[in-house]
Amino acid sequence: MSIAKSLTNIRASTSALKSSLSLPKRTLATPVNTNLYTPVLPAKIPAALHLKSGQSYYGQNFGSENSKFGETVFSTSITSYTDSMTDPSYLGQILVFTSPMIGNYGVPSNASAPGFPGIPFLESEKIQCTGVVVSDVALKYSHYQAVESLHEWCQRYDVPGITGVDTRAITSLLRDQGTTLGRLAVGDEASKPAPSSEEYWDPSVENLVAKASTKEPYTLNQQGKGPKIALLDFGTKANILRSLVKRGAQVTVFPWNYDFNSVRDQFDGLFLSNGPGDPKQIMETAYKVRKTIDEWDKPIFGICMGHQVLGLAAGLEAYRMTFGNRGHNQPVLALASSGSINAGRVYVTSQNHQYALKLTEDFPEGWAPFFINCNDSSVEGIISTPESGKRVWGVQFHPESAGGPLDTIEMFTDFVNECQFGRSGGSNMIAGEVKIGGSDAKAAAEISASI
């Protein structure tokens, strides 16, 4: 058979196949019943960002038309602005996005995803940050899950935004001088003089955890076949709950100051969540956790604020960083092997915190550094040593991401398995195999930062 005839037969077969298939018509990424083509545009109202350090930036308002005070911080994340804005760790903060365009894929419905009743689709029930600063806000959006624009969303939750400002200049300033208090002024307020130093509101002096935490205990996945895990809610992200439930755990969420020691024997493990503010504002919880560690032999895992509370309970010191770590690309070096984590490997992580545990040459007895930041040598994790007989882990970063990389997501699997199977041998998350510890940690961080 000639090549020409073979090609003719192939074309004929392809044409017949196409005609036999009933392919759906391609549709728009954003459903036509949304307002993509008739967007609700913000009125052209002036806005200003005033910083306590003396700088002012002028642009145009979107979202709420009410002026707000807060702590001005920046995030280097490129995607997932809806997840960042609903993260309770941003409570009380004016969030500057370094990514040049924000809002281009709109905002989805926050109804629970299938299989996760009682857990919002985003990271909490509402926007948590006080204000938003962007270089260019997208007034039109396109995404198959989008139901409203960033402007409409912020307007609904009384969160003001400012667009048309040089976010690069603001970020450089915050990197040099550190996070600073600010005011997002809107309308007539934008043309008035900047507030005096005494007028700025400092959220760090307040107990933000108490504001972010649940007020009453509740249980998720009551029919789950996995272990029963208690979670102290310091302002937990929804994806932490989803990550536990997805692995079969029954999760009971308690307020931040709940006396867990009075009910601990009903549970197979304890989880300490993320949350906003200064960990020293909740020292009463750190003392209760210390009692739990001393008297209880079941697994404990802390993330972000939970990690800092574990550190305070262990006897470490927490301090305020210059500008914190907020973004989806923070590299951390594992100093110990445990479960899915291998010592000596660098993991890329999602982070959002202003405070950290201080790296000391002599760690408290029974503890060792677990991870260390490759950029700034801050402590990114702690772990109980084999000699301590305890099973406790803490990480400063977010293994569940939302958004960000999933390099360390299997830490949730490790923890749930440890709670369910424990010392019987069904779990491989052994609190040990510490490869680098104590005074070697600083040297390890310096080496990793120089690579």
Side-chain angles (χ1 to χ4, degrees):
M1 183 183 293
S2 66
I3 295 176
K5 190 171 183 179
S6 297
L7 291 174
T8 301
N9 291 339
I10 291 172
R11 292 192 188 100
S13 299
T14 303
S15 178
L17 179 62
K18 285 182 177 179
S19 62
S20 66
L21 294 174
S22 178
L23 297 175
K25 292 183 179 181
R26 293 186 65 184
T27 58
L28 294 168
T30 302
V32 294
N33 61 351
T34 67
N35 54 14
L36 171 64
Y37 298 105
T38 56
V40 178
L41 301 177
K44 291 189 176 181
I45 297 174
L49 173 65
H50 299 299
L51 302 180
K52 186 177 180 181
S53 51
Q55 299 81 9
S56 295
Y57 301 87
Y58 296 90
Q60 186 173 316
N61 165 253
F62 67 92
S64 171
E65 296 177 15
N66 293 320
S67 302
K68 296 289 181 71
F69 285 96
E71 181 182 30
T72 313
V73 303
F74 66 89
S75 171
T76 60
S77 57
I78 297 175
T79 62
S80 309
Y81 54 82
T82 52
D83 296 310
S84 295
M85 291 171 62
T86 53
D87 181 350
S89 293
Y90 279 116
L91 184 64
Q93 297 180 334
I94 297 173
L95 179 55
V96 180
F97 284 103
T98 60
S99 185
M101 177 178 282
I102 297 293
N104 52 310
Y105 50 85
V107 179
S109 166
N110 205 16
S112 300
F116 300 101
I119 305 176
F121 182 76
L122 298 174
E123 292 310 298
S124 68
E125 296 287 353
K126 62 180 182 178
I127 300 176
Q128 299 287 345
C129 58
T130 297
V132 185
V133 181
V134 304
S135 176
D136 182 12
V137 66
L139 300 179
K140 292 185 178 181
Y141 57 89
S142 181
H143 193 280
Y144 75 101
Q145 290 180 306
V147 297
E148 62 184 331
S149 69
L150 180 61
H151 161 63
E152 294 170 287
W153 191 42
C154 288
Q155 194 173 49
R156 203 154 54 83
Y157 283 103
D158 192 27
V159 175
I162 183 172
T163 184
V165 294
D166 189 347
T167 52
R168 297 169 302 176
I170 299 172
T171 301
S172 296
L173 179 72
L174 296 178
R175 276 192 180 277
D176 290 341
Q177 69 178 27
T179 55
T180 186
L181 303 182
R183 188 186 192 221
L184 216 166
V186 180
D188 293 339
E189 298 290 323
S191 60
K192 295 180 179 179
S196 63
S197 297
E198 295 74 22
E199 292 181 275
Y200 284 93
W201 170 62
D202 185 359
S204 66
V205 301
E206 299 187 11
N207 185 348
L208 298 178
V209 167
K211 294 182 178 182
S213 176
T214 182
K215 302 301 182 280
E216 297 292 336
Y218 62 93
T219 301
L220 299 167
N221 196 30
Q222 295 190 37
Q223 306 306 315
K225 304 300 184 183
K228 294 182 178 180
I229 294 175
L231 184 147
L232 287 184
D233 178 15
F234 303 140
T236 186
K237 290 174 62 180
N239 205 36
I240 289 177
L241 302 175
R242 284 191 292 267
S243 297
L244 293 170
V245 168
K246 183 178 180 180
R247 289 160 175 80
Q250 299 179 49
V251 182
T252 300
V253 182
F254 291 104
W256 67 279
N257 58 349
Y258 192 88
D259 183 12
F260 171 70
N261 289 306
S262 65
V263 296
R264 67 191 184 197
D265 291 337
Q266 302 173 26
F267 295 94
D268 302 307
L270 173 63
F271 195 101
L272 308 179
S273 84
N274 67 294
D278 185 348
K280 294 178 183 177
Q281 292 286 348
I282 56 171
M283 283 301 298
E284 63 176 282
T285 298
Y287 294 136
K288 292 177 182 177
V289 170
R290 178 182 296 175
K291 177 179 174 68
T292 305
I293 295 171
D294 290 341
E295 300 176 358
W296 208 47
D297 67 347
K298 294 182 180 179
I300 304 174
F301 188 20
I303 284 179
C304 196
M305 174 64 76
H307 165 253
Q308 295 166 15
V309 168
L310 281 176
L312 292 173
L316 291 166
E317 183 180 344
Y319 69 98
R320 180 183 174 87
M321 305 175 75
T322 303
F323 52 81
N325 289 329
R326 298 177 180 86
H328 299 164
N329 59 349
Q330 285 290 328
V332 301
L333 172 67
L335 305 179
S337 292
S338 182
S340 59
I341 302 301
N342 297 313
R345 178 180 167 182
V346 172
Y347 297 84
V348 181
T349 66
S350 176
Q351 299 193 20
N352 176 14
H353 63 101
Q354 185 69 51
Y355 293 82
L357 297 178
K358 182 173 289 188
L359 180 61
T360 60
E361 293 193 0
D362 297 314
F363 250 55
E365 185 178 356
W367 296 90
F370 194 2
F371 293 91
I372 199 162
N373 192 292
C374 298
N375 290 335
D376 59 21
S377 303
S378 59
V379 176
E380 292 284 357
I382 58 175
I383 186 171
S384 56
T385 62
E387 296 76 20
S388 70
K390 301 297 181 179
R391 294 174 289 167
V392 186
W393 309 265
V395 293
Q396 185 61 67
F397 51 85
H398 288 269
E400 83 288 353
S401 64
L406 296 171
D407 286 26
T408 56
I409 185 65
E410 287 306 309
M411 293 190 77
F412 281 95
T413 304
D414 296 335
F415 175 64
V416 171
N417 285 345
E418 183 71 21
C419 291
Q420 185 161 15
F421 303 111
R423 301 185 191 278
S424 65
S427 168
N428 67 346
M429 193 177 185
I430 302 169
E433 282 194 70
V434 179
K435 304 295 184 182
I436 305 172
S439 60
D440 293 332
K442 280 188 175 179
E446 291 169 359
I447 293 171
S448 65
S450 65
I451 295 176

